[in-house]
Amino acid sequence: MAHLAVVVVLLCLGAANLTQRATWSELEDGVLWKMNGADVVAAEIAPDTAARRAGVQAGDILLAIDRKPVNRIDDVTAALHASVAGRTLHYTLLRERSRQMIDIAVAPIPGGPFGLYVALAGVGIFSLLVGASVRMRRPDHQTTLHFFWLTVAFFGVLCFSFSGKLDTLDWIFYWGDVAGMLLLPPLFLHFALVFPDRPDAWVRSDAGRTLLPLIYLPALLLGGAQVASIVSGAAHADVLTRVIPFVERGQLIYLAVSLVLGMAIMMRALRRVRSVTARRQLRWIVWGTVLGAMPFAFGYALPWSAGFPPVPGFEYSAVLLGLIPLAFASAIVRYRLMDVEVIIKRGLVYAAAIAAFAAIFAVFLRVTGAVFLEQSDVRNPIVAFLAALVVALLSRPVIAAIQNALDRVYYRDRYDYRRALVGFARDLNSDLDLARLSERLVHRVTETLLVDRMALMLAPISPAGDDHGFVTIAHAGFADQPPRLPRMSEVGTRLISGHTLALDDNLSLRRLDAREVDFWRDAGIHYFVPCVSKDGTIAVMALGRKASAEPLSSEDMALLSAVAAQAATALENGRLYRQLRTKAEELDRLREFSDNILESLNDGLAVLDREDRVVRWNRQLEELYGVRHEDAAGRRFAELFDGGVAHMLRTSPKESTEGAAFYRVPLTTRHDPPRRLLVNLATTPLRDADGAVAGTIVLVEDISTRVQLEEQLQISEKMASIGLLAAGVAHEVNTPLTGISSFTQMLLDGAAPDDPRTKVLEKIERQTFRAAKIVNGLLNLARPAQVESGAVDVNVVVNDVLALLDHQFRTGKIQVRKELVRNAPIVQGIEYKLQQVFLNLFLNARDAMPKGGWLSIVTRAEGGDVVVEIADTGLGIPPEQLSRIYDPFFTTKALGKGTGLGLSITYGIVQEHGGTITCDSAVGQGTRFALRLPLSAAAPRAAER
């Protein structure tokens, strides 16, 4: 802030000095007057002046000017200030005690061309602004403070010039000029010694630190002489005319020598700098200083100091001194030559803008005066205010237009690329593909800035403690993959802090490990620009030099910083999108995995929400229940299942952690035709992440097949028990049967063929053999006999059994309807066992029709099977008993009228013959049994005919 105040004060003084020089012209008469006692006496008369031509002599006493008494030198000064150039003043002199009247035409004091002064003042103001800009850009750098005071000295030498008015302000200008002239040489020499920073510099040694203040000693001596001359000049005027010129020559010699020595020091430093880029840039700085200082030193300062006339026109070489602060400013701020071009461009822009503003102001005044005031008063303050307002409103667009025009001229075909790069950076956010975005960014930057290589390195997503480093995701210009940038390295630490690094910057070299710098230089990387988002440095742009081997300018770096800011947001979005897509893919995989698990279940699964609406319905439940997922989703559970199942679900405790289970639940499916199943139902609460109940999970297990298998197993176990029981009964029954059979055969041997009792005995014998077979069948329940099967005609077996029961059917008023297939259905089996099957079924039909009815027997061939259907019009079997009719000892008949073994034995015989038996019954309508037995392999075609 203090430096800004100094700049403002100096600029105000400079403007005042310019104004005074433009409006004030000091007059002289060519005489050096001094006080001798109470008299004003002529001490010296300058050659070729009006006083010399008028005959004024040394020793003349001035009495009056234009008849106004003169008692002091201030009276002479007042008379001159009251006059104008070319006017003749009447001097009254006393010479050798005689009064003389002499006319003297006063003239302006000879001075340099005003245009030269304006040019020098412009260079001084430019130098001061450069120094202030450098200081503000690097406020924490000691070198910038030194450079700032160096530019202040430049400003004092070039901008301050006393006019001869000799008032307080004029004396400030005079001593400001003197101070600048005295401080500029040692400051320049000191700056050349310490910049650029050199480890082996002389000023770093003990002798250097001790002797360095001596370079300010000449300035101190010359300044003391100047002050002493001015102070003593008030009493001794000849001191001013004799000493001051020598002091001023000494100051010029001091300045010229310091410029030459500074040049020599910088040229020596140029040979000792190791960096190739630094040497190239320092060489340009040296040449800039040479062009700025040498013409003035050797063409004007040294010849004039030595008493020789300067080379004509070389007084204007002082304008070139502005190259010195410009060159040093470039080195301090960025240590890049290209910044000189940037500063020159900006200077041209503002110079052109000032000219444009002046032209606009003048045109507005002239047009306004011509149109509205008719040239009566073009200095009207209201018009001037309006003109200034117009200039203020047009300032920004005018500067922008001039800047764009100059950029277009300077960059030519690359101008559109640079503008497009900024627009491209803003548009990066529209691309969320991280790989494509990175490739586009690298391609566009290398194309615009013409760098030989570039790599875009992305920060790791892992925590900062894991030094995975910045990994290259896109690059151009590298023969191999660029190296990884460790986060914990000095370069990585600086970039994480958000600092842009230029490895050719002397300041960066002091803050970084030399081995790291050499490593990255060997890799062809010289610049690192961090892409900083709200979460820190997300990526780094690593760049090489330009294809022309020139370094990047500060304007290039500013452009890269602007692009990096936009790219950081785009890269952050791209990385977040990649993470989101990865998470989404992972969730898809998990969801697919979960779906596969649910769909692979052997049981049906339904997931209900809090309102018992279906949100999930797996494939097994589709096949089990006959309702597709699309048809079930969104519907209430009660709409899909019958009332009993829905009631179970509603009454189950939904808040219970164990859920609920229901076993052997009858379920009618939605297939066409419907199926009756036995299922187990299990419900469990579905909980969300907070543990709250979010719905219900329903598991449906089809146990129909398992129940049938269990029933078959139970039947088998019961049949085994019956077989063991039957074995004992058979042994007991066989004994009387043997006696009956023997006695019957004996009677038949003695009976006559025509005896009526012979037929009865034969019938007794057949029935005895049949009873024996039945008893042997009972024995086979416990110990299966090896009975050979043969071809059996099913129609014959049916007719034999019907003949056996014919008397019982007539007694019970049962009508028999037969529809037997014409061609004999031959099966491979055991005849007496099949007789037992039909006997049991016919007897059950008889018992089911106590009041009489119809017994229908149908045989037919279907494919490779023979189907026998036996239907009655009896009482029917209740649905809840159908599943148990094959259980041993299960019967619905009254006590003493049935053992419950008939259907159990029938089921076993049918299974033994490889067939199946099914039963359909309706209470009050009757019962229908359907037997399916495989046809004999030798007679399927005959049966079909």
Side-chain angles (χ1 to χ4, degrees):
M1 201 66 180
H3 303 94
L4 184 60
V6 170
V7 171
V8 172
V9 171
L10 290 177
L11 289 176
C12 292
L13 290 174
N17 203 164
L18 278 168
T19 303
Q20 185 164 296
R21 283 293 305 269
T23 58
W24 176 261
S25 178
E26 182 68 17
L27 301 178
E28 69 166 356
D29 53 12
V31 182
L32 176 62
W33 303 100
K34 69 176 182 177
M35 295 299 296
N36 187 4
D39 299 327
V40 179
V41 180
E44 292 184 13
I45 293 87
D48 196 21
T49 60
R52 173 75 70 178
R53 289 190 295 269
V56 179
Q57 299 177 5
D60 290 345
I61 299 173
L62 180 60
L63 299 177
I65 299 177
D66 286 344
R67 298 181 180 181
K68 292 181 180 180
V70 174
N71 299 317
R72 296 178 304 168
I73 296 177
D74 291 342
D75 296 336
V76 180
T77 303
L80 292 175
H81 287 175
S83 183
V84 294
R87 178 182 175 184
T88 301
L89 298 180
H90 304 288
Y91 279 63
T92 303
L93 302 177
L94 180 62
R95 181 185 301 166
E96 297 178 359
R97 297 183 180 182
S98 64
R99 289 177 177 266
Q100 295 187 11
M101 299 295 294
I102 297 177
D103 294 333
I104 300 176
V106 295
I109 296 176
F114 180 72
L116 175 61
Y117 166 70
V118 173
L120 293 177
V123 173
I125 293 173
F126 174 74
S127 302
L128 180 63
L129 293 177
V130 170
S133 174
V134 170
R135 181 60 181 168
M136 285 189 292
R137 294 182 69 178
R138 290 283 183 87
D140 56 343
H141 199 262
Q142 184 64 27
T143 305
T144 62
L145 178 62
H146 193 155
F147 177 72
F148 172 73
W149 290 114
L150 180 62
T151 57
V152 169
F154 262 103
F155 176 82
V157 171
L158 300 176
C159 193
F160 286 150
S161 175
F162 80 104
S163 62
K165 194 174 183 179
L166 299 181
D167 56 2
T168 302
L169 191 60
D170 203 31
W171 280 111
I172 292 176
F173 299 152
Y174 176 79
W175 288 114
D177 185 18
V178 171
M181 182 62 74
L182 292 174
L183 291 176
L184 181 58
L187 285 173
F188 178 80
L189 190 59
H190 188 177
F191 196 80
L193 288 171
V194 298
F195 184 84
D197 189 18
R198 301 180 292 278
D200 57 346
W202 172 76
V203 293
R204 289 181 174 270
S205 64
D206 294 337
R209 285 191 291 269
T210 302
L211 299 177
L212 184 61
L214 294 180
I215 63 176
Y216 292 89
L217 182 59
L220 183 61
L221 295 176
L222 291 172
Q226 188 110 2
V227 172
S229 300
I230 297 299
V231 172
S232 61
H236 306 283
D238 54 344
V239 175
L240 290 175
T241 59
R242 295 176 183 177
V243 178
I244 292 298
F246 288 103
V247 174
E248 292 177 348
R249 282 188 172 87
Q251 292 172 356
L252 284 176
I253 293 173
Y254 182 33
L255 176 59
V257 171
S258 297
L259 291 175
V260 174
L261 286 177
M263 282 300 309
I265 292 170
M266 286 188 290
M267 293 179 68
R268 182 175 180 272
L270 179 61
R271 293 193 300 270
R272 300 173 68 88
V273 173
R274 292 186 305 167
S275 173
V276 176
T277 302
R279 289 181 60 189
R280 181 187 300 112
Q281 296 166 351
L282 187 57
R283 184 182 301 115
W284 279 95
I285 293 172
V286 169
W287 277 108
T289 307
V290 169
L291 293 176
M294 292 304 102
F296 173 74
F298 291 102
Y300 181 79
L302 290 179
W304 186 83
S305 301
F308 299 102
V311 178
F314 263 74
E315 62 273 14
Y316 290 98
S317 63
V319 177
L320 297 177
L321 292 174
L323 294 177
I324 298 176
L326 183 62
F328 275 93
S330 171
I332 295 171
V333 176
R334 293 291 184 184
Y335 203 53
R336 293 182 181 85
L337 169 68
M338 298 303 290
D339 282 349
V340 177
E341 300 176 3
V342 174
I343 295 175
I344 291 175
K345 282 198 306 174
R346 291 178 182 173
L348 291 175
V349 168
Y350 287 110
I354 291 173
F357 296 154
I360 293 172
F361 187 85
V363 170
F364 186 87
L365 287 179
R366 183 172 295 276
V367 172
T368 304
V371 176
F372 298 102
L373 303 178
E374 298 180 357
Q375 300 295 344
S376 61
D377 188 8
V378 296
R379 298 184 181 180
N380 189 298
I382 298 178
V383 175
F385 172 77
L386 292 176
L389 183 61
V390 170
V391 170
L393 293 176
L394 295 178
S395 60
R396 185 178 296 275
V398 168
I399 292 176
I402 295 174
Q403 180 72 59
N404 291 337
L406 188 61
D407 287 344
R408 189 175 294 278
V409 172
Y410 178 76
Y411 293 113
R412 294 186 295 276
D413 55 343
R414 289 189 294 122
Y415 172 76
D416 292 332
Y417 284 111
R418 295 175 73 90
R419 289 177 60 87
L421 180 59
V422 178
F424 165 77
R426 288 195 297 265
D427 295 339
L428 280 176
N429 290 317
S430 62
D431 194 347
L432 295 177
D433 189 310
L434 192 60
R436 184 172 62 245
L437 182 152
S438 304
E439 292 290 346
R440 290 175 58 202
L441 178 61
V442 170
H443 174 73
R444 186 61 67 90
V445 171
T446 54
E447 182 184 61
T448 302
L449 298 182
L450 300 178
V451 292
D452 58 356
R453 64 193 67 197
M454 176 184 174
L456 183 63
M457 303 178 178
L458 192 65
I461 305 178
S462 60
D466 300 332
D467 189 15
H468 296 293
F470 292 86
V471 180
T472 300
I473 57 174
H475 63 86
F478 292 90
D480 300 318
Q481 183 75 4
R484 181 177 60 88
L485 174 61
R487 293 170 58 92
M488 296 296 105
S489 64
E490 293 187 8
V491 172
T493 303
R494 295 284 296 170
L495 292 171
I496 292 173
S497 301
H499 296 282
T500 299
L501 295 180
L503 300 185
D504 295 323
D505 189 349
N506 202 35
L507 182 61
S508 298
L509 295 179
R510 292 201 302 270
R511 294 180 177 178
L512 301 175
D513 187 354
R515 290 173 296 180
E516 284 191 46
V517 174
D518 293 338
F519 171 78
W520 290 110
R521 283 177 174 174
D522 292 341
I525 295 176
H526 295 267
Y527 304 95
F528 292 95
V529 181
C531 301
V532 182
S533 66
K534 61 181 181 180
D535 296 328
T537 301
I538 186 176
V540 173
M541 292 192 294
L543 302 97
R545 292 194 181 98
K546 291 188 175 182
S548 59
E550 292 293 339
L552 298 178
S553 68
S554 60
E555 193 175 64
D556 295 331
M557 298 303 292
L559 181 62
L560 282 174
S561 298
V563 172
Q566 298 288 339
T569 304
L571 291 171
E572 179 71 13
N573 293 340
R575 191 166 71 171
L576 290 176
Y577 176 73
R578 172 182 281 186
Q579 295 176 11
L580 181 62
R581 187 172 61 183
T582 302
K583 291 293 184 182
E585 292 174 353
E586 183 178 350
L587 289 176
D588 288 341
R589 288 194 297 270
L590 290 176
R591 184 180 295 107
E592 183 179 357
F593 180 70
S594 301
D595 291 344
N596 290 337
I597 293 177
L598 297 179
E599 297 299 332
S600 300
L601 291 175
N602 292 325
D603 298 330
L605 179 140
V607 180
L608 313 179
D609 60 13
R610 291 187 179 91
E611 299 178 355
D612 289 341
R613 294 185 182 276
V614 175
V615 295
R616 189 60 191 266
W617 187 276
N618 74 341
R619 185 184 302 112
Q620 184 62 27
L621 191 54
E622 289 182 357
E623 298 175 358
L624 176 68
Y625 194 61
V627 177
R628 298 171 64 245
H629 173 271
E630 294 79 6
D631 300 330
R635 298 176 63 184
R636 293 184 181 275
F637 191 80
E639 299 176 7
L640 297 171
F641 290 87
D642 54 33
V645 176
H647 178 72
M648 290 180 185
L649 182 65
R650 284 194 302 269
T651 57
S652 64
K654 296 185 178 181
E655 299 294 334
S656 173
T657 56
E658 293 82 8
F662 307 93
Y663 302 100
R664 290 181 178 264
V665 178
L667 180 67
T668 303
T669 70
R670 298 292 182 88
H671 294 92
D672 187 18
R675 304 172 188 171
R676 293 184 57 84
L677 303 176
L678 279 178
V679 297
N680 289 339
L681 289 178
T683 65
T684 185
L686 175 66
R687 301 185 182 275
D688 57 19
D690 298 328
V693 176
T696 306
I697 300 175
V698 181
L699 287 173
V700 182
E701 179 187 7
D702 182 11
I703 60 172
S704 301
T705 304
R706 188 174 69 191
V707 168
Q708 291 178 359
L709 293 175
E710 289 175 353
E711 291 176 351
Q712 292 178 9
L713 179 61
Q714 292 173 0
I715 291 174
S716 299
E717 292 175 350
K718 291 178 181 179
M719 292 298 294
S721 300
I722 293 173
L724 294 176
L725 177 63
V729 173
H731 283 292
E732 297 296 330
V733 173
N734 268 337
T735 300
L737 286 177
T738 302
I740 293 172
S741 175
S742 299
F743 290 135
T744 301
Q745 290 177 1
M746 292 173 60
L747 290 174
L748 285 173
D749 290 340
D754 55 351
D755 189 346
R757 291 176 294 182
T758 300
K759 293 184 178 180
V760 174
L761 290 174
E762 290 177 348
K763 185 178 290 187
I764 293 173
E765 183 183 29
R766 288 197 301 272
Q767 295 301 321
T768 302
F769 289 154
R770 181 171 175 272
K773 289 182 180 180
I774 292 174
V775 170
N776 289 333
L778 292 176
L779 287 174
N780 289 335
L781 291 175
R783 177 177 52 80
Q786 298 296 328
V787 180
E788 294 184 359
S789 63
V792 178
D793 187 341
V794 175
N795 287 347
V796 172
V797 174
V798 169
N799 287 325
D800 288 346
V801 174
L802 286 175
L804 182 64
L805 297 176
D806 179 63
H807 177 72
Q808 297 184 27
F809 286 158
R810 286 197 306 274
T811 303
K813 300 180 181 180
I814 297 174
Q815 301 294 324
V816 178
R817 181 189 299 114
K818 295 190 296 182
E819 295 182 10
L820 305 182
V821 65
R822 180 182 305 175
N823 298 316
I826 306 300
V827 298
Q828 190 73 20
I830 301 173
E831 182 179 1
Y832 81 90
K833 287 189 175 183
L834 292 178
Q835 290 175 351
Q836 183 69 39
V837 168
F838 292 117
L839 178 63
N840 290 338
L841 292 176
F842 292 164
L843 289 176
N844 283 341
R846 181 203 66 185
D847 294 340
M849 295 181 290
K851 296 182 180 181
W854 283 93
L855 175 65
S856 301
I857 301 111
V858 179
T859 62
R860 65 178 183 274
E862 289 185 359
D865 298 330
V866 58
V867 178
V868 181
E869 293 181 354
I870 302 171
D872 62 54
T873 59
L875 300 175
I877 303 172
E880 62 272 12
Q881 296 179 357
L882 273 177
S883 61
R884 301 184 61 192
I885 59 176
Y886 302 112
D887 290 353
F889 305 109
F890 175 79
T891 180
T892 60
K893 299 177 183 179
L895 184 64
K897 292 188 177 181
T899 62
L901 295 176
L903 287 178
S904 176
I905 294 173
T906 299
Y907 182 85
I909 294 174
V910 172
Q911 291 289 320
E912 181 183 349
H913 283 75
T916 61
I917 181 172
T918 60
C919 176
D920 290 326
S921 181
V923 176
Q925 297 181 8
T927 302
R928 182 178 66 86
F929 282 92
L931 284 76
R932 183 178 292 271
L933 299 172
L935 287 169
S936 173
R941 294 182 180 177
E944 292 176 0
R945 291 194 299 267

